Amino acid sequence: MKTVDVIIPTYRPDKRLFRILERLHAQTYPVQRIILVNTEEAYFKELIYSTGMQHAFDLDSLFENVELRHIKKQEFDHGGTRRMGVSMSDADIFVCMTDDAFPADTHLISELVSGLSKERVAVCYARQLARKHSSEVERFARQFNYPKQACVKFETDRERLGIKTYFCSNVCAAYRRDVYEELGGFTEHTIFNEDMIFAAGAAKKGYGIAYQPSARVYHSHHYTGRQQFQRNFDLGVSQALHPEVFEGIVSEGEGVRMVRQAAGHLLKCGKGTQIPGLIVDSACKYAGYQMGKHYKYLPSKLVLSCTGNREFWMQKPCADQ
């Protein structure tokens, strides 16, 4: 049986983290270790004290296989922080998760491992389900991006699938350690998209990217227009910084298709009054994405006001990006 570790970067976690840990401990496929890389120790202490525990190491009494490491906010990096977590693991397979992704059942890990067992697969990502109180648009977006059909994508699918060929999400994804090491791991300094950048590199080396819908987590958000703008600005920046992956691939088509289908869905289910909100959110996404793709032409101060990840730019001056 291959060993599995789970790596979870955390920032200002709440009590839901303990529910996630409990569900991971209840998995039918055993998890060897759960590695938490936490940003800002003070926030983690607040969580610990709110539960009645006196020290972070009291976690050991509840979860014997949890390993905790703290970093400063200025040290956090989407790729680098996950690289750190992987360096703390010696498992055959590691699973990257976020601290707001809740396993839907006790078979998440076994289903991810099963997805990785297919020939030449480097990474397998899970299906994301909308939470109970999510908006209709958010529910549709989850169904659009995470359908019921399983698939394995290779570089040969690029003409048919376009940018979707490399789609992968570290909200919940399992990686073969040997392939990860062979390909050099996650890019260390990334503003966003470390998962897709790795997946693209794997595909170009002949490996497959598996999607396993029977591996499920609950994960959804309700972002404001500003948050949508910032996330998509960072998405555009990540694509501009990695032309070896994204150059020559048009991403906007998928977004337009999703908006059209979402609007049709809202009309069909009698919620057409939500269409204006969909249009506004989509405009924020598109504006952020386009500005991010062309960030090199923007003043540094404007870049810092547009990004959702100011630490990325602090680590490396805008002009040097």
Side-chain angles (χ1 to χ4, degrees):
M1 179 179 282
K2 293 186 180 298
T3 54
V4 176
D5 285 345
V6 177
I7 298 164
I8 308 177
T10 63
Y11 177 58
R12 305 188 81 158
D14 57 31
K15 292 181 181 179
R16 289 178 298 179
L17 176 63
F18 295 113
R19 292 181 57 225
I20 293 170
L21 296 177
E22 288 168 358
R23 182 56 62 89
L24 288 174
H25 276 80
Q27 292 293 301
T28 56
Y29 194 106
V31 175
Q32 176 180 263
R33 280 192 304 161
I34 302 170
I35 298 167
L36 305 179
V37 184
N38 176 67
T39 300
E40 294 298 343
E41 184 174 4
Y43 295 129
F44 204 90
K45 284 182 177 179
E46 287 179 12
L47 171 63
I48 294 297
Y49 296 151
S50 72
T51 64
M53 287 187 278
Q54 297 301 309
H55 301 285
F57 56 70
D58 287 347
L59 276 173
D60 294 341
S61 63
L62 293 175
F63 309 107
E64 60 183 17
N65 64 341
V66 171
E67 186 170 341
L68 175 64
R69 178 174 293 184
H70 298 291
I71 61 173
K72 298 291 186 183
K73 190 174 182 181
Q74 59 267 28
E75 296 177 278
F76 176 81
D77 180 89
H78 281 280
T81 299
R82 288 174 172 84
R83 282 180 71 98
M84 177 189 295
V86 177
S87 72
M88 297 166 64
S89 166
D90 61 0
D92 302 314
I93 294 168
F94 64 88
V95 176
C96 286
M97 292 181 63
T98 55
D99 63 1
D100 59 352
F102 185 75
D105 53 41
T106 58
H107 303 290
L108 172 66
I109 301 300
S110 63
E111 293 297 331
L112 287 172
V113 172
S114 174
L116 277 184
S117 67
K118 297 167 185 173
E119 187 177 2
R120 295 290 292 177
V121 167
V123 55
C124 175
Y125 65 99
R127 186 182 186 192
Q128 296 181 30
L129 305 173
R131 298 182 189 276
K132 184 177 179 180
H133 300 296
S134 299
S135 69
E136 193 63 35
V137 172
E138 181 69 11
R139 289 179 181 279
F140 180 84
R142 287 288 174 260
Q143 294 169 10
F144 181 88
N145 289 317
Y146 302 94
K148 294 180 180 180
Q149 297 77 28
C151 67
V152 180
K153 301 170 290 185
F154 291 90
E155 182 68 14
T156 51
D157 295 311
R158 178 170 159 168
E159 184 174 341
R160 176 174 62 91
L161 296 176
I163 193 68
K164 283 278 191 177
T165 308
Y166 307 137
F167 183 74
C168 179
S169 176
N170 269 347
V171 164
C172 186
Y175 295 80
R176 278 180 49 188
R177 179 62 176 263
D178 57 344
V179 178
Y180 174 87
E181 299 289 357
E182 175 192 333
L183 300 179
F186 298 123
T187 302
E188 188 159 3
H189 189 59
T190 47
I191 190 170
F192 205 59
N193 260 355
E194 80 293 334
D195 37 23
M196 283 186 67
I197 293 166
F198 178 86
K204 292 176 186 299
K205 291 291 186 180
Y207 289 103
I209 302 133
Y211 167 59
Q212 188 81 334
S214 53
R216 303 175 302 148
V217 294
Y218 288 102
H219 178 262
S220 55
H221 293 284
H222 178 67
Y223 291 121
T224 65
R226 177 173 175 76
Q227 289 171 323
Q228 299 279 23
F229 177 92
Q230 289 176 326
R231 283 179 59 82
N232 283 272
F233 179 87
D234 292 345
L235 172 65
V237 170
S238 73
Q239 292 194 9
L241 288 172
H242 292 278
E244 77 282 2
V245 174
F246 300 104
E247 193 170 66
I249 303 180
V250 178
S251 303
E252 293 90 328
E254 274 298 298
V256 171
R257 188 165 71 92
M258 199 283 281
V259 172
R260 285 177 176 168
Q261 291 188 16
H265 172 76
L266 290 173
L267 286 172
K268 188 179 295 185
C269 66
K271 296 185 178 180
T273 55
Q274 295 183 22
I275 291 177
L278 169 67
I279 293 171
V280 170
D281 281 350
S282 300
C284 291
K285 290 179 182 179
Y286 184 74
Y289 174 71
Q290 288 296 331
M291 287 184 70
K293 282 188 72 173
H294 301 93
Y295 79 94
K296 290 183 179 179
Y297 304 103
L298 304 178
S300 295
K301 286 185 179 180
L302 182 56
V303 168
L304 291 176
S305 70
C306 291
T307 185
N309 187 357
R310 292 174 67 92
E311 286 71 31
F312 174 83
W313 305 98
M314 298 297 101
Q315 292 166 10
K316 192 174 183 181
C318 300
D320 294 338
Q321 291 297 324

